[in-house]
Amino acid sequence: MPEHDDDLRLAHVLADTADAATMERFRALDLAVETKPDMTPVSEADKRAEELIRFSLSRTRPRDAVLGEEFGGEGAGPRRWVIDPIDGTKNYVRGVPVWATLIALTELDAEGREQPVVGVVSAPALQRRWWAVRGGGAYTGRSLTSATRMRVSGVPRIEDASFAYSSLDGWEQRGALEGFLQLSRDSWRTRAYGDFWPYMMVAEGAVDCCAEPELSMWDMAANAIIVTEAGGRFTGLDGRDGIHGGNAAASNGLLHEALLGYVGG
């Protein structure tokens, strides 16, 4: 049995709690939305979901640290829960059902680097959930007892690959727009699914690679372990494995070096 099986069960309970809070306010006509200093939106549902998760963790894992998008970090120690209460808030506030709660547990590796050991991505408006635990594989389904194991694709060439992304703006700001556009031209298929969903489709084998130029740890931690436990690879655009680069490239592994050749560096 995987070492973090109890933590995975808890992450599912936390996701259930968040799902109830976010779905209650999804498409509500009186949903309160504010603009954060970075000019991104935050809704009352974002804040409520994170508050509920933090409260549950304070009771069940009081010694663990917590990092969340809306309320920052608290606590210290080798274990930390990393939370994005609604990944895809712009979709959420417009009534688009592509958004999810991302919950991960990280631990320090032998080099003192934070690495995810549990990840749950729950998209209740899509009625989908994905999860993984270190050494235990990646799964999708309605519950721990009703699930299908996921595996990345075996596509070996960009010319045969489906590439997913979020938007063009970040690539232009990074000075990597031409490489991105060439990758789009050379790929068999491209789609801007955005946010968490491309990573989940990489893990399922429905999409072969994806990349984003600007991310925070809470955007990556849960996605990273699900992709890697499905047999894929998750790195920064510099090619270093893990969630510390402020950006991400994910693939079935076979395409990774080719993917980085277009958008890496």
Side-chain angles (χ1 to χ4, degrees):
M1 184 172 292
E3 177 184 358
H4 296 281
D5 197 59
D6 287 344
D7 294 313
L8 177 63
R9 290 193 180 96
L10 173 59
H12 275 273
V13 173
L14 298 174
D16 290 342
T17 300
D19 286 355
T22 53
M23 286 302 293
E24 182 180 6
R25 300 299 291 154
F26 183 49
R27 293 177 174 162
L29 296 179
D30 60 344
L31 179 73
V33 182
E34 303 170 14
T35 300
K36 294 191 287 188
D38 64 0
M39 302 307 293
T40 61
V42 58
S43 74
E44 63 183 84
D46 292 79
K47 294 180 178 180
R48 180 59 176 159
E50 186 169 325
E51 287 171 342
L52 289 170
I53 292 171
R54 284 175 177 269
F55 177 73
S56 295
L57 287 172
S58 71
R59 300 179 64 186
T60 58
R61 297 291 191 275
R63 296 182 180 179
D64 292 350
V66 180
L67 173 67
E69 179 176 10
E70 306 309 335
F71 298 106
E74 62 178 310
R79 289 166 46 102
R80 183 159 73 161
W81 294 87
V82 181
I83 305 157
D84 189 341
I86 298 180
D87 182 50
T89 298
K90 291 178 182 178
N91 282 347
Y92 184 89
V93 301
R94 290 295 303 271
V96 178
V98 183
W99 49 271
T101 296
L102 279 54
I103 301 169
L105 172 64
T106 66
E107 291 187 350
L108 300 180
D109 63 17
E111 299 177 351
R113 286 166 56 87
E114 204 171 356
Q115 303 292 354
V117 295
V118 169
V120 172
V121 172
S122 188
L126 297 175
Q127 298 185 352
R128 297 293 311 275
R129 186 176 289 186
W130 305 261
W131 63 89
V133 61
R134 184 174 64 187
Y139 293 84
T140 184
R142 301 301 295 270
S143 69
L144 284 167
T145 57
S146 178
T148 301
R149 188 160 187 169
M150 296 188 292
R151 189 73 188 172
V152 296
S153 74
V155 174
R157 302 192 320 143
I158 289 294
E159 293 84 352
D160 301 319
S162 179
F163 167 61
Y165 62 98
S166 290
S167 67
L168 296 178
D169 293 349
W171 297 106
E172 187 170 24
Q173 294 169 11
R174 186 180 172 83
L177 183 58
E178 184 50 44
F180 171 86
L181 292 175
Q182 191 60 50
L183 172 59
S184 300
R185 297 182 192 108
D186 291 347
S187 298
W188 168 69
R189 182 179 174 88
T190 61
R191 286 292 184 271
Y193 298 109
D195 301 308
F196 70 95
W197 210 6
Y199 302 98
M200 298 304 97
M201 288 191 282
V202 168
E204 291 180 329
V207 164
D208 308 303
C209 57
C210 63
E212 288 186 90
E214 186 176 2
L215 294 169
S216 298
M217 185 177 289
W218 49 75
D219 298 312
M220 296 186 280
N223 292 333
I225 188 170
I226 292 172
V227 168
T228 55
E229 284 294 326
R233 191 173 173 200
F234 189 104
T235 74
L237 296 178
D238 60 4
R240 290 188 296 174
D241 292 301
I243 56 174
H244 302 280
N247 44 56
S251 77
N252 62 9
L254 300 173
L255 293 166
H256 211 79
E257 294 307 319
L259 173 63
L260 293 175
Y262 288 96
V263 298

